[in-house]
Amino acid sequence: MSEQEILLSVKDLKIEGRSDETWNPIINGASFDLRKGEVLGMIGESGAGKSTVGLASMGFTRDGCRISGGSVVFDGIDLVTADAATKRSLLGKRIAYVAQSAAASFNPAHRIIDQHTEAPTQHGVYSKSESEEDAMDLYNRLRLPNPEEIGFRYPHQVSGGQLQRAMTAMAMSCRPDLIIFDEPTTALDVTTQIEVLASIRDIVEQFNTAAIYITHDLAVVAQMADRIKVLLRGDEVEESETRSMLSNPKEEYTKSLWAVRSFQRDLKAPVAINSTPVVSVQNVSAAYGKVPVLHDISFDIHPGRTVAVVGESGSGKSTAARCITGLLPPTKGVIQFDGENLPLDYRQRNRGQLRQAQMIYQMADTALNPRKKIGEIIGRPVEFYMGLKGAEKRKRVEQLLEQIELEPSQYIDRLPSELSGGQKQRVGIARSLAAEPKFIICDEVTSALDQLVAEGILRLLADLQDTLGLSYMFITHDLATVKSIADEVVVMKEGKVIEQGPKVEMFQPPHHPYTDLLLSSVPEMDPDWLTNLLDERGVDNIGDAASAKI
Amino acid sequence: MFPLEPTFFNIVVTLIGYGLALAGAGFLFRLVGRKVTNNKPYFRDMPGGVAIGFAIGAFAIAWVVYTYIQAQLAEGPAANKYFFFLVAVHGIIIFAVAAYIFRFLGRLIGTEGTKKAFRQMPVTAAFGIMIIVLYAIVSIFAGVIAPYGQEEIVGNANVVPGGDPAMGGDPAYLLGTDQIGRDILSRLIYGAQNTVGIAFVTTCLAFLIGTTFGFLAAVKGGWMDQICSRTVDALMAIPQLIFALLLMTIATAWAGTNNVLVMVYMVIIIAVLDSTRVFRLSRAVGINIVVMDYIEAAKLRGETLPYLIFKEILPNAYAPLLAEFGLRFCFVFLTIASLSFLGIGIKPPLADWGTMVRDLSGFLNYAQFLPLNAALPLMAAGAIALLTVGVNFLVDWMLHRSSGLKE
C-alpha cells in the first residue's frame, strides 16, 4: 500500500466556529496523508470534530464555520484556496460524500436512479443512459436485490440498509478517487449493518478508491480501515495502523475507549418460583389500526430484575412498551401489575397506577420540554404525585439531582439545551425516579449516546436498581448493552417472542437461528471478524438476507 | 429618461440599451475588483447576478443623488413636483439615523439581556421597536399630547396647514383644520389611540379564540379536529373583507344608533374572521409539539388538558405565535382602516386614520399647487404604513432568531 502515491494531504488544518459573536476553535490542527486505495478510520466521541474534519477534506465547512489555517491538498490542488469553479469540478466527480442518514439525504420527490445519474451527467462523465446502465451494475456489485429495477423506486420504497447502499452507489457513480463516509451504518440494525459494511468494503477495494471512514464504533472501524486516527475535542490523540492500534494503543484516552465495553453486572440468584412479577404481560396482541403488530406475546418482569427486550427495528419492542404504558391498548390479552389487572387504556388508570410505571425515552432531546428548567421538569412529578410544594419540593428535587450525580446548585436552574446528551438522559431518569415507581421502561436509553457516556448511564441505572429495588424493562438493539446490564432476555422478531430466558442461557448455544444471527452480527474488535464471518455465512447468504427484507 | 421619441420601438431599444449598460458595468466592476484585490475569494467567486446587482444599486443611488440636487436647486412652482421626493428622502434618512441612535442607546441602557438583544439586532429591527414604542406612547398619552380634543371644533374650517398666516394658515393649528374646523394634528394623535387600541384588542381576541381551538384540535384530534377545521374552512372560503362588510351591515342594523355597540360588534366580527388564520397556525404548530416525547410523558403522568395546553405546548409555540401576532396585528389594523374608509367602521366623531384618509382625500387634487395640503390624507395613510412596516421589520427579525439562522 505504501508505494501508492499520496492522494490527499491535510496539513495543520484549523477550523473555527462562530458563536456568541466570536470565533472559537473547533479543530486545532489536524494533519494526515491518504494514499490511493487506502481507508483511514476516524473515531472519537460526538463533538470531537470527526465530521468537521471529514467535510473539510472536501474543502467545505458548515454554515457558521471557517477554515482558519492549514492546507487540504487533493492531487496537487489546495482546496482551501481553490475557487468555486475548481471545487465544483472536483466535488461529486473525484471526491464524493456518503452521509449518515440516507433517508434524510435523498430527495423524496425523485426516483433513486434519477438522483444517481445527476452527478455523472452534470460533470459530463456519462450520458444519462450510460449512467443508468452503470447504476444497475453498481447496484449489482453492492448486492442490492433486483438491481435492474430497484433504482426506479422512490427512496421511501426501499429499506434503510438498501438506501444506504444506493447512496454508496451514487457516491461511486463518477468513480471518484476519494469517498468520505460519515457514520454510514450508525442508524442501522446490526444485521443490516453487516450487509452495508461488506458491500462498502468490497466496492472500495474493487475500484481502488481511497476513503475516510468516520464512526464512533471501534468494532466497525476495525473492519474497514487500514489506519485509524483518534480525535478528542478537536485535538489529535494518535494515529497508527489498525492492527497495532487495536493491540497496543499508546494514549490513555484511546485505552479508555477500548475498555468501555468491560462493564458487567454481577449475576443474581434465580427468581424464586412463587415470586409475584411486578409486571406480567400475558398473551398480548396489538395492532395499529388494522395492521397487527404484536402476536400473542407473554413475559414477566420480577422485582429488582432487568429484562432486556431485543430485536431489530420493526420487531415490536417499543410497541410492547406502549401496550404496558397503556398508550396503545392491546386488542387481546392482559397486563398485570403486582398480580392485579391494569386497565388497558392509560386514561382509565388512576394516579397510583400511573405513578408505579415510569418511562425513560431514547431521545432525551424530545423527552424534556425545552422551555422548562431542570428544576421544573423534575419538580412536576414530585408536586403532582407527592403533593410537595415550595421548599419541600425543592429539597426533594435537589435530592434527586444528587442521586443522578448532577450538582443541584449548578443544574437546577438550567434549561435542557444547556446540558450535554448524557446529562439530559440523567434528568430523564430523575424525572421518572421523582414518581417513586417500582418499574421503569428504558426505551433505547443509551443508543443515542457515546460509548463512554452510555456506560456511565448504565452504571447509574444499575446502582439505582440496587439501592431502590427497581425493575427495568430494557428495550435495546445493542447486544453489548444486554450483556452488561440484563438479568433476563426476551428476543423479539416480527411481533412475536422468539426466545426468552435468563441471560446466561441466552448467550450460550444452542440458540434459536434468529438469536444466533443477531449474536453473530455484533461487530467484534478483531480486524478479521467481518472477513471470517462472511466466509462462514457465504456471500450468497447475505444477498438472500437482503432480499428477504423487502 | 428617454432621449428618443417615446414610440414603442424606441422604448424597447432604450430599455435593452440600459440593461446592457448595467450588465457591462457589473462585469467591469467585478473585473476591476479582482484586479485590485488580487483575486480575493469575495470577488473571485462572485456570481454575475450579484455583480449586476451592485451596478443597479449604484445606478439607483446616483439617480437619487442627482434628483436630490435638482430638487434643492428648483424654486417656486417647479419645486412642488419634488416635494414628496424630498419628504421621502428626508424621512428615510431621519428614521435611519433615529433608529441607529435608538439601537446605540439600547446597547448602553437596560439589563444585560436587553443590552445583548440590542447588540445582536439589525438596525431595521431597532427601527421597528422604536416605531412601536413611539406609537404606544402616543396612543397611551394622546389626551396629554394632543393640543385639542378630537371632537372639539376649534376654529375656522379648512385652515391651510403650515402655520404661515401669509398663506392663510394659523400657527395654533400646525396641520390646519378639517372641513368642520377640527384640529387635524389632534385628530391624528387621537387616531393612534382609537385605531391602534381597537386593533390591539381585536388581535388579542383573535389569538385567544384561534390558539385555544387550534391547540384543542391538535391535542384531541379526531372529531374535535374535524369540527373545528371544517368550520374554519367554511369561514375562510368567503373573501374576508366582503364577509366583514356583510356582517357589519347586519350588525349596524342590530345596533341601531348605539355607536359603542357597533364598535363592539366590529371587534368581535374581525376577531372571529382573523382567528381562522391563527387557528390554522396554532393547529399546525401544536401538532408538531404534541408528538414530542415530553407530551407523552405528561399524558402518562395523568395531567389534565388545560395543563397540557398552557404549560407544555404553549411555551414551545411562543416564537411562531408571537411572529404571527405581529403580522396579524397589521392585517387587523388594515381591515379596520378599510372598513372605516368605507364608512362602516369606527364612527365619527371619533378620530380614525381610515376615516381621515377618506375625508381628506379631496386635497390630493391640489398636489401640484399646495403639496402640503395634499400631504394631509397621506399623513394618516403614512401613519398606518409606518406602523405596518415597523411591525413587519420586528417580526422578520424575531422569525430569523427563532429559526436559529445565522447570518
Side-chain angles (χ1 to χ4, degrees), chain B residues 193-387:
Chain B
Q193 193 174 45
N194 296 331
T195 319
V196 176
I198 290 175
F200 186 74
V201 171
T202 312
T203 316
C204 287
L205 189 63
F207 266 73
L208 191 70
I209 301 169
T211 50
T212 308
F213 281 99
F215 286 148
L216 210 59
V219 178
K220 280 286 185 186
W223 58 268
M224 184 76 196
D225 186 16
Q226 285 298 326
I227 290 177
C228 293
S229 296
R230 296 299 81 80
T231 311
V232 163
D233 286 351
L235 284 177
M236 284 176 95
I238 307 166
Q240 201 187 3
L241 194 61
I242 310 275
F243 200 22
L245 277 174
L246 174 76
L247 293 179
M248 278 305 293
T249 316
I250 301 172
T252 317
W254 281 353
T257 52
N258 190 338
N259 276 346
V260 178
L261 207 54
V262 174
M263 294 233 293
V264 172
Y265 282 141
M266 182 180 73
V267 166
I268 294 172
I269 288 170
I270 299 177
V272 168
L273 291 183
D274 264 89
S275 71
T276 53
R277 273 79 178 169
V278 182
F279 169 86
R280 286 216 164 165
L281 177 77
S282 50
R283 177 177 172 273
V285 172
I287 279 177
N288 282 335
I289 299 172
V290 162
V291 295
M292 292 293 185
D293 287 338
Y294 55 86
I295 301 294
E296 189 180 299
K299 277 185 185 168
L300 284 178
R301 206 185 302 140
E303 299 285 6
T304 56
L305 195 59
Y307 180 90
L308 278 180
I309 289 181
F310 292 111
K311 291 293 176 68
E312 298 280 354
I313 298 178
L314 193 59
N316 289 290
Y318 271 149
L321 284 181
L322 216 57
E324 174 71 9
F325 188 90
L327 286 178
R328 200 47 43 210
F329 175 75
C330 293
F331 282 113
V332 167
F333 186 72
L334 292 174
T335 312
I336 292 175
S338 322
L339 286 180
S340 305
F341 180 82
L342 293 170
I344 51 167
I346 298 170
K347 292 281 175 192
L350 285 184
D352 163 75
W353 290 338
T355 324
M356 287 176 73
V357 173
R358 185 189 52 174
D359 289 349
L360 300 171
S361 59
F363 286 124
L364 281 174
N365 295 329
Y366 305 121
Q368 245 181 323
F369 322 106
L370 294 168
L372 201 58
N373 273 30
L376 283 179
L378 296 182
M379 270 183 208
I384 298 171
L386 201 59
L387 182 60

Side-chain angles (χ1 to χ4, degrees), chain A residues 426-545:
Chain A
R426 281 170 193 264
V427 173
I429 294 172
R431 181 176 60 186
S432 54
L433 288 181
E436 298 178 19
K438 278 188 178 168
F439 168 63
I440 298 181
I441 298 173
C442 307
D443 190 356
E444 303 263 17
V445 285
T446 57
S447 62
L449 302 173
D450 288 314
Q451 289 174 0
L452 280 173
V453 182
E455 196 204 352
I457 297 285
L458 291 182
R459 282 184 196 276
L460 174 67
L461 285 171
D463 289 346
L464 289 171
Q465 183 166 52
D466 292 341
T467 47
L468 303 172
L470 298 166
S471 311
Y472 295 136
M473 171 176 167
F474 208 95
I475 298 169
T476 181
H477 66 264
D478 180 14
L479 289 153
T481 312
V482 176
K483 263 184 195 163
S484 56
I485 198 166
D487 300 311
E488 280 152 64
V489 181
V490 175
V491 181
M492 288 188 68
K493 191 194 181 194
E494 288 162 12
K496 298 190 188 84
V497 172
I498 299 268
E499 205 178 5
Q500 59 178 311
K503 176 174 74 173
V504 192
E505 287 174 25
M506 296 296 286
F507 279 96
Q508 276 164 3
H511 307 294
H512 183 280
Y514 179 70
T515 316
D516 194 45
L517 179 72
L518 269 186
L519 284 175
S520 67
S521 300
V522 179
E524 286 165 23
M525 296 290 266
D526 173 12
D528 298 321
W529 167 81
L530 184 62
T531 321
N532 294 341
L533 182 77
L534 292 178
D535 287 348
E536 211 174 281
R537 287 194 191 170
V539 172
D540 286 311
N541 194 354
I542 287 192
D544 290 347

Side-chain angles (χ1 to χ4, degrees), chain A residues 30 60 214 228 272 354 362 367 370 423 489 500 517:
Chain A
F60 179 80
I214 299 165
I228 296 181
L354 289 170
Q362 173 176 9
Q423 288 169 337
V489 181
Q500 59 178 311
L517 179 72

Side-chain angles (χ1 to χ4, degrees), chain A residues 377-415:
Chain A
I377 291 171
I378 303 175
R380 180 64 193 172
V382 171
E383 186 184 327
F384 189 76
Y385 290 126
M386 307 301 154
L388 299 183
K389 287 213 163 64
E392 274 182 320
K393 176 170 135 190
R394 192 175 169 92
K395 210 173 131 201
R396 173 73 183 133
V397 171
E398 283 172 1
Q399 205 181 340
L400 283 162
L401 279 170
E402 272 164 25
Q403 239 167 358
I404 56 162
E405 294 153 23
L406 293 179
E407 174 54 41
S409 58
Q410 218 180 341
Y411 289 96
I412 201 162
D413 287 324
R414 287 204 199 178
L415 289 169

Side-chain angles (χ1 to χ4, degrees), chain B residues 92-236:
Chain B
I92 287 174
I93 292 173
I94 289 168
F95 276 120
V97 171
Y100 210 82
I101 294 170
F102 181 72
R103 185 175 69 166
F104 182 72
L105 291 178
R107 286 175 182 179
L108 296 179
I109 306 160
T111 63
E112 262 322 298
T114 59
K115 276 187 197 169
K116 193 177 174 202
F118 272 104
R119 271 202 303 279
Q120 290 169 341
M121 76 174 53
V123 80
T124 49
F127 169 77
I129 293 175
M130 184 180 74
I131 291 295
I132 290 167
V133 169
L134 198 70
Y135 274 62
I137 291 172
V138 168
S139 48
I140 291 168
F141 300 108
V144 185
I145 299 171
Y148 308 98
Q150 56 179 326
E151 302 165 22
E152 198 179 341
I153 296 171
V154 287
N156 298 328
N158 293 330
V159 172
V160 182
D164 184 359
M167 301 285 287
D170 187 335
Y173 321 119
L174 215 53
L175 292 182
T177 56
D178 65 4
Q179 62 275 53
I180 55 169
R182 292 174 299 194
D183 182 43
I184 291 181
L185 180 64
S186 304
R187 282 180 68 73
L188 264 183
I189 291 169
Y190 272 104
Q193 193 174 45
N194 296 331
T195 319
V196 176
I198 290 175
F200 186 74
V201 171
T202 312
T203 316
C204 287
L205 189 63
F207 266 73
L208 191 70
I209 301 169
T211 50
T212 308
F213 281 99
F215 286 148
L216 210 59
V219 178
K220 280 286 185 186
W223 58 268
M224 184 76 196
D225 186 16
Q226 285 298 326
I227 290 177
C228 293
S229 296
R230 296 299 81 80
T231 311
V232 163
D233 286 351
L235 284 177
M236 284 176 95

Side-chain angles (χ1 to χ4, degrees), chain A residues 30-83:
Chain A
S31 306
F32 59 88
D33 288 335
L34 193 63
R35 293 167 198 285
K36 280 198 171 150
E38 192 182 26
V39 180
L40 174 72
M42 207 174 285
I43 58 170
E45 303 171 45
S46 48
K50 312 182 291 282
S51 296
T52 314
V53 172
L55 288 171
S57 311
M58 314 197 298
F60 179 80
T61 53
R62 292 209 175 97
D63 281 351
C65 295
R66 67 170 184 198
I67 298 176
S68 58
S71 64
V72 179
V73 179
F74 175 82
D75 205 13
I77 304 163
D78 189 351
L79 294 176
V80 176
T81 53
D83 60 40

Side-chain angles (χ1 to χ4, degrees), chain B residues 2-39:
Chain B
F2 296 112
L4 305 170
E5 188 85 2
T7 62
F8 178 74
F9 178 77
N10 282 345
I11 289 175
V12 170
V13 166
T14 316
L15 285 180
I16 291 174
Y18 275 121
L20 287 177
L22 282 174
F27 285 114
L28 189 69
F29 164 69
R30 188 171 65 170
L31 194 72
V32 170
R34 281 177 183 168
K35 290 278 179 246
V36 170
T37 62
N38 203 9
N39 245 358

